């Protein structure tokens, strides 16, 4: 469970709307783009691009190179992460890949294998992606 504190922040970040959720029994592959907030509780392989917030739920598995505004990790991520704002690793997080972010928050118990690049304002760390067409 990601906990109440994270849920409250996720709701505020998308204007009091809950994020779109990919269920635990779902396995997707490909290029994933979204505008506001997404939570993955299942499995995803490919690439993820968004200016919004990505949450990887506890027990989820993501094998992807990721470019987002911010990210909260409770599951496993294999691949590089670039965030304009922050990456938060919860106690159940497992990350194997490089992280580039303005801020990194790591809970006791989280595991990180890779290189870290931090610093600069979100504007200096521009990892913007084109808007979702639709």
């Amino acid at each position: 469970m990601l906990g109440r504190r994270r849920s409250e922040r996720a709701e505020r970040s998308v204007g009091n709307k809950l994020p779109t959720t990919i269920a635990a029994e779902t396995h997707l592959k490909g290029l994933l783009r979204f505008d506001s907030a997404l939570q993955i509780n299942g499995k995803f392989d490919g690439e993820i691009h968004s200016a919004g917030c990505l949450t990887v739920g506890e027990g989820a598995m993501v094998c992807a190179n990721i470019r987002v505004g911010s990210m909260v990790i409770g599951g496993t991520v294999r691949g590089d992460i670039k965030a304009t704002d922050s990456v938060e690793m919860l106690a159940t997080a497992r990350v194997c890949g490089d992280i580039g972010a303005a801020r990194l928050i790591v809970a006791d118990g989280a595991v990180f294998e890779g290189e870290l690049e931090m610093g600069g304002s979100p504007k200096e760390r521009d990892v913007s992606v084109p808007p979702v067409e639709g």
Side-chain angles (χ1 to χ4, degrees):
M1 205 72 199
L2 289 177
R4 182 177 171 87
R5 190 179 112 218
R6 173 63 201 138
S7 297
E8 290 170 356
R9 279 196 316 232
E11 287 178 25
R12 282 195 305 265
S13 70
V14 294
N16 294 325
K17 294 181 185 176
L18 293 175
T20 299
T21 302
I22 296 175
E25 62 277 359
T26 304
H27 186 175
L28 299 174
K29 294 182 181 183
L31 173 61
L32 181 58
R33 292 179 185 248
F34 58 95
D35 283 328
S36 56
L38 176 74
Q39 179 163 338
I40 298 174
N41 291 332
K43 294 181 181 178
F44 180 82
D45 296 303
E47 289 185 50
I48 300 173
H49 297 199
S50 177
C53 179
L54 173 64
T55 300
V56 177
E58 185 176 335
M61 169 66 114
V62 174
C63 295
N65 287 322
I66 301 166
R67 296 173 62 109
V68 292
S70 62
M71 187 166 179
V72 177
I73 306 166
T76 300
V77 175
R78 295 186 184 279
D80 295 340
I81 300 167
K82 291 194 178 194
T84 52
D85 186 24
S86 65
V87 174
E88 181 176 359
M89 295 177 62
L90 304 177
T92 55
R94 304 290 178 262
V95 175
C96 184
D98 298 342
I99 296 176
R103 295 181 306 138
L104 177 66
I105 304 153
V106 182
D108 188 28
V111 175
F112 170 53
E113 296 178 27
E115 293 187 17
L116 174 64
E117 181 183 333
M118 289 181 58
S121 69
K123 288 182 182 178
E124 292 170 344
R125 301 197 53 77
D126 182 23
V127 294
S128 61
V129 295
V132 175
E133 296 178 17

